[in-house]
Amino acid sequence: MTRIFSGVKPTGHLTLGNYLGAIRRWADEDQHRAESLFCVVDLHALTVDHDPARVRRLTRQAAGLLLAAGLDPQVCTVFVQSHVDEHARLSYVMECVATDGEMRRMIQYKEKTARAQAAGQGVRLSLLTYPALMAADILAYGADEVPVGDDQTQHVELTRTLAERFNQRYGHTFVVPRATPPAVAARVMDLQDPTGKMGKSHDATAGIIYLLDEPATITKKVMRAVTDSGTGGVEYDRAERPGVANLLDILAACTGKEPQTLADDYDSYGALKRDTAEAVVELLRPLQARHAEFSADPSYVDGVLRDGAAAARALARPTVDAAYRAIGLLPPA
Ligand code: TYM
Protein backbone atom coordinates (compact mmCIF):
# COMPACT_ATOMS: atom_id res chain seq x y z
CA MET A 1 0.00 0.00 0.00
CA THR A 2 1.15 3.51 -0.77
CA ARG A 3 2.52 5.34 2.23
CA ILE A 4 2.19 9.10 2.69
CA PHE A 5 4.00 11.46 5.03
CA SER A 6 3.57 15.20 5.41
CA GLY A 7 3.88 17.87 8.05
CA VAL A 8 3.22 21.41 9.24
CA LYS A 9 5.59 23.58 11.19
CA PRO A 10 4.23 25.36 14.30
CA THR A 11 5.91 28.71 13.68
CA GLY A 12 2.65 30.63 13.44
CA HIS A 13 -1.11 30.19 13.21
CA LEU A 14 -2.05 27.98 10.28
CA THR A 15 -3.24 29.77 7.18
CA LEU A 16 -5.56 29.33 4.26
CA GLY A 17 -2.41 28.54 2.24
CA ASN A 18 -1.62 25.60 4.50
CA TYR A 19 -5.18 24.38 4.22
CA LEU A 20 -5.70 24.70 0.47
CA GLY A 21 -2.14 23.71 -0.45
CA ALA A 22 -1.87 20.73 1.85
CA ILE A 23 -4.16 19.93 4.78
CA ARG A 24 -7.48 19.78 2.94
CA ARG A 25 -6.15 17.13 0.59
CA TRP A 26 -4.70 15.11 3.46
CA ALA A 27 -8.14 15.00 5.04
CA ASP A 28 -10.35 14.62 1.98
CA GLU A 29 -8.25 12.26 -0.13
CA ASP A 30 -4.87 11.09 1.13
CA GLN A 31 -5.86 9.48 4.42
CA HIS A 32 -8.54 7.44 2.66
CA ARG A 33 -6.39 6.07 -0.15
CA ALA A 34 -3.04 5.40 1.55
CA GLU A 35 -1.38 4.58 4.83
CA SER A 36 -0.80 8.13 6.03
CA LEU A 37 1.18 9.93 8.69
CA PHE A 38 0.77 13.63 9.43
CA CYS A 39 3.13 15.37 11.76
CA VAL A 40 3.40 18.67 13.59
CA VAL A 41 7.10 19.27 13.02
CA ASP A 42 8.02 21.16 16.17
CA LEU A 43 11.78 20.56 15.89
CA HIS A 44 11.68 22.55 12.67
CA ALA A 45 10.08 25.46 14.55
CA LEU A 46 13.32 25.88 16.51
CA THR A 47 15.31 26.81 13.40
CA VAL A 48 14.25 30.46 13.64
CA ASP A 49 13.96 32.92 16.52
CA HIS A 50 11.27 31.42 18.76
CA ASP A 51 9.40 31.74 22.01
CA PRO A 52 9.29 28.35 23.81
CA ALA A 53 5.80 28.80 25.29
CA ARG A 54 4.40 29.91 21.92
CA VAL A 55 5.86 26.94 20.06
CA ARG A 56 4.32 24.60 22.62
CA ARG A 57 0.94 26.33 22.29
CA LEU A 58 1.06 26.38 18.50
CA THR A 59 2.03 22.71 18.39
CA ARG A 60 -1.08 21.66 20.26
CA GLN A 61 -3.20 24.11 18.29
CA ALA A 62 -1.88 22.79 14.96
CA ALA A 63 -2.66 19.23 16.03
CA GLY A 64 -6.19 20.30 16.98
CA LEU A 65 -6.61 22.01 13.63
CA LEU A 66 -5.48 18.93 11.73
CA LEU A 67 -8.14 16.92 13.52
CA ALA A 68 -10.70 19.68 13.02
CA ALA A 69 -9.86 19.67 9.31
CA GLY A 70 -10.96 16.04 9.23
CA LEU A 71 -7.87 13.92 9.83
CA ASP A 72 -9.29 10.82 11.43
CA PRO A 73 -7.02 9.09 13.96
CA GLN A 74 -8.87 5.86 13.20
CA VAL A 75 -7.49 5.86 9.66
CA CYS A 76 -4.25 7.88 9.81
CA THR A 77 -1.51 8.69 12.28
CA VAL A 78 -1.26 12.20 13.72
CA PHE A 79 1.70 12.98 15.94
CA VAL A 80 4.34 15.47 17.05
CA GLN A 81 7.84 15.19 15.62
CA SER A 82 9.75 15.63 18.89
CA HIS A 83 7.80 12.75 20.45
CA VAL A 84 9.57 10.31 18.14
CA ASP A 85 13.36 10.27 18.61
CA GLU A 86 13.93 8.61 15.25
CA HIS A 87 13.63 11.95 13.43
CA ALA A 88 16.64 13.44 15.21
CA ARG A 89 18.57 10.15 15.00
CA LEU A 90 18.15 9.93 11.25
CA SER A 91 18.64 13.64 10.68
CA TYR A 92 22.27 13.33 11.74
CA VAL A 93 22.81 10.52 9.26
CA MET A 94 21.30 12.63 6.49
CA GLU A 95 23.71 15.44 7.40
CA CYS A 96 26.47 12.94 6.73
CA VAL A 97 25.04 12.17 3.30
CA ALA A 98 24.27 15.73 2.14
CA THR A 99 26.81 18.38 1.23
CA ASP A 100 27.12 21.89 2.53
CA GLY A 101 26.55 23.22 -1.01
CA GLU A 102 23.27 21.33 -1.39
CA MET A 103 21.95 22.86 1.81
CA ARG A 104 23.00 26.38 0.84
CA ARG A 105 21.22 26.15 -2.50
CA MET A 106 17.79 25.78 -0.90
CA ILE A 107 15.58 28.74 -1.76
CA GLN A 108 13.97 28.86 1.68
CA TYR A 109 17.40 28.96 3.32
CA LYS A 110 18.44 31.85 1.12
CA GLU A 111 15.21 33.77 1.72
CA LYS A 112 15.16 33.26 5.47
CA THR A 113 18.86 34.04 5.80
CA ALA A 114 18.38 37.29 3.90
CA ARG A 115 15.45 38.22 6.15
CA ALA A 116 17.33 37.40 9.37
CA GLN A 117 20.37 39.34 8.26
CA ALA A 118 18.26 42.35 7.26
CA ALA A 119 16.81 42.31 10.79
CA GLY A 120 20.30 42.13 12.24
CA GLN A 121 19.70 38.62 13.61
CA GLY A 122 22.07 35.67 13.50
CA VAL A 123 21.12 32.60 11.49
CA ARG A 124 20.81 29.38 13.42
CA LEU A 125 22.92 26.48 12.18
CA SER A 126 19.77 24.35 12.25
CA LEU A 127 18.28 26.56 9.53
CA LEU A 128 21.04 25.37 7.23
CA THR A 129 20.58 21.70 8.15
CA TYR A 130 16.76 21.96 8.03
CA PRO A 131 16.47 19.87 4.83
CA ALA A 132 18.41 17.01 6.44
CA LEU A 133 15.79 16.83 9.20
CA MET A 134 13.00 17.08 6.66
CA ALA A 135 14.56 14.25 4.63
CA ALA A 136 14.75 12.21 7.83
CA ASP A 137 11.06 12.87 8.53
CA ILE A 138 10.11 11.43 5.18
CA LEU A 139 12.64 8.61 4.81
CA ALA A 140 12.16 7.22 8.33
CA TYR A 141 8.68 6.12 7.31
CA GLY A 142 9.43 4.80 3.84
CA ALA A 143 6.94 7.30 2.43
CA ASP A 144 6.21 7.00 -1.30
CA GLU A 145 4.39 10.31 -1.56
CA VAL A 146 4.75 13.66 0.13
CA PRO A 147 1.73 15.93 -0.43
CA VAL A 148 3.03 19.49 -0.11
CA GLY A 149 2.48 22.92 -1.61
CA ASP A 150 4.84 24.27 -4.25
CA ASP A 151 7.21 25.90 -1.80
CA GLN A 152 8.29 22.52 -0.39
CA THR A 153 8.98 20.64 -3.60
CA GLN A 154 12.65 21.64 -3.67
CA HIS A 155 13.13 20.08 -0.23
CA VAL A 156 11.45 16.89 -1.38
CA GLU A 157 13.67 16.81 -4.48
CA LEU A 158 16.71 17.00 -2.23
CA THR A 159 15.25 14.21 -0.12
CA ARG A 160 15.07 12.05 -3.25
CA THR A 161 18.68 12.83 -4.09
CA LEU A 162 19.84 11.93 -0.57
CA ALA A 163 17.84 8.71 -0.52
CA GLU A 164 19.28 7.63 -3.87
CA ARG A 165 22.81 8.52 -2.80
CA PHE A 166 22.47 6.62 0.47
CA ASN A 167 21.03 3.57 -1.26
CA GLN A 168 23.84 3.55 -3.83
CA ARG A 169 26.64 3.95 -1.31
CA TYR A 170 25.43 1.87 1.58
CA GLY A 171 22.88 -0.54 0.14
CA HIS A 172 19.18 -0.24 -0.47
CA THR A 173 17.61 1.17 2.70
CA PHE A 174 15.18 3.96 1.76
CA VAL A 175 12.12 4.29 -0.39
CA VAL A 176 12.71 7.18 -2.81
CA PRO A 177 9.72 9.51 -2.29
CA ARG A 178 8.09 12.01 -4.59
CA ALA A 179 6.34 15.31 -3.95
CA THR A 180 2.67 15.48 -4.92
CA PRO A 181 1.62 19.14 -5.16
CA PRO A 182 -2.11 19.88 -5.46
CA ALA A 183 -3.71 20.63 -8.83
CA VAL A 184 -5.11 23.92 -7.58
CA ALA A 185 -3.88 26.33 -4.90
CA ALA A 186 -0.34 24.94 -4.86
CA ARG A 187 0.78 28.47 -4.00
CA VAL A 188 -1.75 30.76 -2.33
CA MET A 189 -0.36 34.30 -2.37
CA ASP A 190 -0.45 37.04 0.25
CA LEU A 191 -3.52 39.25 -0.25
CA GLN A 192 -1.48 42.41 0.27
CA ASP A 193 1.55 41.27 -1.72
CA PRO A 194 0.37 38.81 -4.34
CA THR A 195 3.89 38.25 -5.62
CA GLY A 196 4.79 36.51 -2.34
CA LYS A 197 3.24 33.42 -0.78
CA MET A 198 0.78 33.60 2.09
CA GLY A 199 3.14 32.53 4.87
CA LYS A 200 2.25 31.92 8.51
CA SER A 201 5.50 33.36 9.87
CA HIS A 202 5.19 36.76 8.23
CA ASP A 203 4.89 39.80 10.47
CA ALA A 204 2.41 41.74 8.32
CA THR A 205 -0.87 39.92 8.84
CA ALA A 206 -3.36 41.94 6.73
CA GLY A 207 -2.71 39.75 3.69
CA ILE A 208 -2.93 36.43 5.52
CA ILE A 209 -6.11 34.52 6.24
CA TYR A 210 -5.68 32.40 9.33
CA LEU A 211 -7.82 29.30 9.74
CA LEU A 212 -9.14 30.64 13.03
CA ASP A 213 -9.89 34.18 11.81
CA GLU A 214 -13.43 35.34 12.58
CA PRO A 215 -15.74 35.52 9.53
CA ALA A 216 -15.78 39.34 9.74
CA THR A 217 -11.98 39.43 9.74
CA ILE A 218 -11.80 37.10 6.74
CA THR A 219 -14.26 39.28 4.87
CA LYS A 220 -12.35 42.44 5.69
CA LYS A 221 -9.04 40.95 4.56
CA VAL A 222 -10.46 39.71 1.27
CA MET A 223 -12.31 42.96 0.55
CA ARG A 224 -9.06 44.88 1.14
CA ALA A 225 -6.97 42.54 -1.01
CA VAL A 226 -4.67 44.32 -3.43
CA THR A 227 -6.03 44.06 -6.94
CA ASP A 228 -4.34 45.11 -10.14
CA SER A 229 -4.73 48.33 -12.00
CA GLY A 230 -5.55 46.67 -15.33
CA THR A 231 -8.71 47.78 -17.06
CA GLY A 232 -11.22 45.73 -18.99
CA GLY A 233 -12.81 43.40 -16.44
CA VAL A 234 -11.64 40.36 -14.57
CA GLU A 235 -8.88 38.36 -16.25
CA TYR A 236 -6.96 35.30 -15.10
CA ASP A 237 -3.36 36.29 -15.73
CA ARG A 238 -0.91 35.25 -13.01
CA ALA A 239 2.02 37.21 -14.42
CA GLU A 240 0.29 40.50 -15.21
CA ARG A 241 -2.61 40.45 -12.74
CA PRO A 242 -1.30 38.48 -9.74
CA GLY A 243 -3.76 39.97 -7.23
CA VAL A 244 -6.88 39.08 -9.18
CA ALA A 245 -5.43 35.73 -10.24
CA ASN A 246 -4.85 34.90 -6.57
CA LEU A 247 -8.48 35.66 -5.69
CA LEU A 248 -9.63 33.55 -8.63
CA ASP A 249 -7.36 30.70 -7.51
CA ILE A 250 -8.76 30.89 -3.98
CA LEU A 251 -12.35 30.99 -5.20
CA ALA A 252 -11.61 28.11 -7.59
CA ALA A 253 -10.12 26.06 -4.77
CA CYS A 254 -13.21 26.73 -2.63
CA THR A 255 -15.79 26.00 -5.34
CA GLY A 256 -14.11 23.31 -7.43
CA LYS A 257 -14.46 25.45 -10.57
CA GLU A 258 -11.68 26.51 -12.93
CA PRO A 259 -10.14 29.96 -12.31
CA GLN A 260 -10.37 30.76 -16.01
CA THR A 261 -14.08 29.93 -16.09
CA LEU A 262 -14.68 32.00 -12.97
CA ALA A 263 -12.94 35.00 -14.54
CA ASP A 264 -15.55 34.96 -17.29
CA ASP A 265 -18.34 35.08 -14.67
CA TYR A 266 -17.25 38.42 -13.19
CA ASP A 267 -17.03 41.91 -14.53
CA SER A 268 -16.06 43.69 -11.32
CA TYR A 269 -13.43 43.14 -8.67
CA GLY A 270 -15.94 43.99 -5.95
CA ALA A 271 -18.27 41.11 -6.81
CA LEU A 272 -15.33 38.73 -7.12
CA LYS A 273 -14.08 39.76 -3.69
CA ARG A 274 -17.51 39.42 -2.07
CA ASP A 275 -17.99 35.91 -3.43
CA THR A 276 -14.45 34.89 -2.53
CA ALA A 277 -14.86 36.14 1.03
CA GLU A 278 -18.14 34.26 1.39
CA ALA A 279 -16.68 31.07 -0.08
CA VAL A 280 -13.72 31.14 2.31
CA VAL A 281 -15.94 31.84 5.32
CA GLU A 282 -18.19 28.89 4.39
CA LEU A 283 -15.23 26.62 3.68
CA LEU A 284 -13.74 27.27 7.11
CA ARG A 285 -16.97 27.29 9.10
CA PRO A 286 -17.13 23.54 9.88
CA LEU A 287 -13.43 23.40 10.66
CA GLN A 288 -13.75 26.29 13.09
CA ALA A 289 -16.75 24.69 14.78
CA ARG A 290 -14.92 21.39 15.27
CA HIS A 291 -11.83 23.20 16.50
CA ALA A 292 -13.93 24.91 19.18
CA GLU A 293 -15.12 21.48 20.36
CA PHE A 294 -11.57 20.12 20.58
CA SER A 295 -10.38 23.21 22.44
CA ALA A 296 -12.96 22.50 25.10
CA ASP A 297 -11.39 19.06 25.64
CA PRO A 298 -7.58 19.20 25.18
CA SER A 299 -7.25 15.69 26.63
CA TYR A 300 -8.73 14.29 23.40
CA VAL A 301 -5.98 15.88 21.28
CA ASP A 302 -3.31 14.78 23.78
CA GLY A 303 -4.58 11.19 23.61
CA VAL A 304 -4.48 11.19 19.81
CA LEU A 305 -0.90 12.50 19.90
CA ARG A 306 0.19 9.89 22.43
CA ASP A 307 -1.19 7.01 20.36
CA GLY A 308 0.10 8.60 17.16
CA ALA A 309 3.65 8.84 18.50
CA ALA A 310 3.60 5.19 19.55
CA ALA A 311 2.43 4.09 16.12
CA ALA A 312 4.96 6.33 14.34
CA ARG A 313 7.83 5.13 16.51
CA ALA A 314 7.06 1.51 15.74
CA LEU A 315 7.17 2.25 12.00
CA ALA A 316 10.29 4.41 12.00
CA ARG A 317 12.50 2.44 14.35
CA PRO A 318 13.39 -0.49 12.07
CA THR A 319 14.23 1.79 9.12
CA VAL A 320 16.41 4.09 11.19
CA ASP A 321 18.15 1.10 12.82
CA ALA A 322 18.79 -0.30 9.34
CA ALA A 323 20.25 3.02 8.19
CA TYR A 324 22.56 3.12 11.24
CA ARG A 325 23.83 -0.38 10.47
CA ALA A 326 24.21 0.31 6.75
CA ILE A 327 26.27 3.46 7.25
CA GLY A 328 28.72 1.71 9.56
CA LEU A 329 27.54 2.24 13.12
CA LEU A 330 28.03 -0.72 15.45
CA PRO A 331 24.67 -1.87 16.81
CA PRO A 332 24.51 -2.04 20.63
CA ALA A 333 25.17 -5.57 21.92
P1 TYM B 1 4.83 24.62 6.32
O1 TYM B 1 4.50 24.45 7.76
O2 TYM B 1 5.42 25.92 5.91
O3 TYM B 1 3.55 24.39 5.45
C1 TYM B 1 2.73 23.23 5.59
C2 TYM B 1 2.17 22.85 4.24
O4 TYM B 1 1.42 23.92 3.69
C3 TYM B 1 1.90 24.26 2.39
N1 TYM B 1 1.80 25.70 2.21
C4 TYM B 1 1.19 26.30 1.18
N2 TYM B 1 0.55 25.79 0.11
C5 TYM B 1 0.00 26.68 -0.76
N3 TYM B 1 0.07 28.02 -0.61
C6 TYM B 1 0.71 28.57 0.45
N4 TYM B 1 0.75 29.88 0.62
C7 TYM B 1 1.30 27.70 1.41
N5 TYM B 1 1.99 27.90 2.56
C8 TYM B 1 2.30 26.66 3.02
C9 TYM B 1 3.36 23.82 2.40
O5 TYM B 1 3.85 23.61 1.08
C10 TYM B 1 3.28 22.55 3.21
O6 TYM B 1 2.89 21.46 2.41
N6 TYM B 1 9.15 22.19 5.70
C11 TYM B 1 7.72 22.03 5.82
C12 TYM B 1 7.30 21.13 6.97
C13 TYM B 1 7.92 19.79 6.91
C14 TYM B 1 7.53 18.72 6.07
C15 TYM B 1 8.35 17.63 6.42
C16 TYM B 1 6.58 18.61 5.06
C17 TYM B 1 8.92 19.34 7.72
N7 TYM B 1 9.19 18.02 7.43
C18 TYM B 1 8.26 16.42 5.76
C19 TYM B 1 6.48 17.39 4.40
C20 TYM B 1 7.31 16.30 4.75
C21 TYM B 1 7.10 23.39 6.08
O7 TYM B 1 7.76 24.29 6.53
O8 TYM B 1 5.77 23.43 5.84
Side-chain angles (χ1 to χ4, degrees):
M1 193 182 191
T2 304
R3 195 172 286 170
I4 286 180
F5 181 94
S6 204
V8 289
K9 193 172 55 190
T11 42
H13 296 284
L14 297 189
T15 72
L16 185 66
N18 297 131
Y19 186 66
L20 294 178
I23 299 167
R24 180 172 65 162
R25 226 168 12 125
W26 304 348
D28 293 354
E29 298 168 29
D30 294 332
Q31 66 172 345
H32 301 297
R33 69 179 177 84
E35 185 181 356
S36 306
L37 296 111
F38 300 107
C39 186
V40 182
V41 292
D42 54 348
L43 297 172
H44 279 100
L46 309 186
T47 57
V48 288
D49 218 19
H50 80 287
D51 166 14
R54 183 165 186 264
V55 168
R56 214 173 289 127
R57 209 168 48 241
L58 288 173
T59 298
R60 192 189 260 118
Q61 186 191 71
L65 279 168
L66 293 183
L67 300 174
L71 291 187
D72 177 356
Q74 302 298 324
V75 299
C76 70
T77 301
V78 180
F79 69 107
V80 172
Q81 186 185 33
S82 66
H83 295 177
V84 179
D85 293 343
E86 272 55 40
H87 295 251
R89 281 180 75 211
L90 187 58
S91 179
Y92 179 72
V93 168
M94 300 324 293
E95 286 178 27
C96 300
V97 176
T99 68
D100 174 67
E102 283 170 326
M103 297 285 160
R104 289 185 195 280
R105 275 198 290 281
M106 293 294 111
I107 295 165
Q108 291 215 333
Y109 174 70
K110 290 188 200 169
E111 285 174 357
K112 287 186 181 165
T113 306
R115 237 181 283 150
Q117 283 167 348
Q121 289 167 355
V123 175
R124 295 185 181 181
L125 181 59
S126 53
L127 188 66
L128 179 63
T129 57
Y130 184 116
L133 178 57
M134 182 158 160
D137 298 339
I138 298 165
L139 298 179
Y141 297 97
D144 305 281
E145 293 180 20
V146 188
V148 284
D150 259 3
D151 62 323
Q152 295 300 319
T153 50
Q154 192 190 27
H155 288 150
V156 181
E157 279 307 307
L158 180 57
T159 302
R160 286 176 65 85
T161 305
L162 300 182
E164 281 165 356
R165 186 178 302 154
F166 187 102
N167 287 347
Q168 255 164 22
R169 285 191 190 156
Y170 307 113
H172 187 84
T173 308
F174 296 124
V175 174
V176 179
R178 63 189 179 89
T180 52
V184 285
R187 184 175 285 259
V188 178
M189 303 308 235
D190 189 290
L191 298 176
Q192 290 299 316
D193 172 14
T195 57
K197 83 162 182 176
M198 187 182 280
K200 64 173 122 58
S201 342
H202 296 175
D203 293 335
T205 58
I208 304 171
I209 296 174
Y210 297 102
L211 298 185
L212 293 179
D213 273 348
E214 298 281 338
T217 309
I218 295 174
T219 304
K220 194 164 80 189
K221 287 177 176 175
V222 175
M223 295 310 289
R224 291 189 183 164
V226 167
T227 39
D228 316 294
S229 53
T231 52
V234 175
E235 275 177 45
Y236 185 64
D237 183 340
R238 276 184 155 245
E240 297 296 322
R241 306 266 198 102
V244 172
N246 189 37
L247 292 174
L248 288 165
D249 278 336
I250 293 172
L251 183 58
C254 294
T255 58
K257 295 185 182 158
E258 290 295 319
Q260 189 66 62
T261 317
L262 286 168
D264 296 339
D265 292 348
Y266 289 94
D267 45 21
S268 84
Y269 293 164
L272 170 63
K273 284 179 171 177
R274 266 194 303 280
D275 285 359
T276 304
E278 198 182 306
V280 173
V281 167
E282 289 314 316
L283 182 77
L284 297 183
R285 197 184 292 284
L287 180 151
Q288 296 189 343
R290 276 197 299 264
H291 182 264
E293 284 170 32
F294 291 141
S295 309
D297 179 14
S299 65
Y300 172 69
V301 176
D302 289 345
V304 169
L305 295 179
R306 194 175 46 243
D307 294 349
R313 214 175 284 128
L315 272 182
R317 188 83 200 240
T319 306
V320 178
D321 282 350
Y324 266 46
R325 280 195 301 277
I327 205 168
L329 300 172
L330 180 68

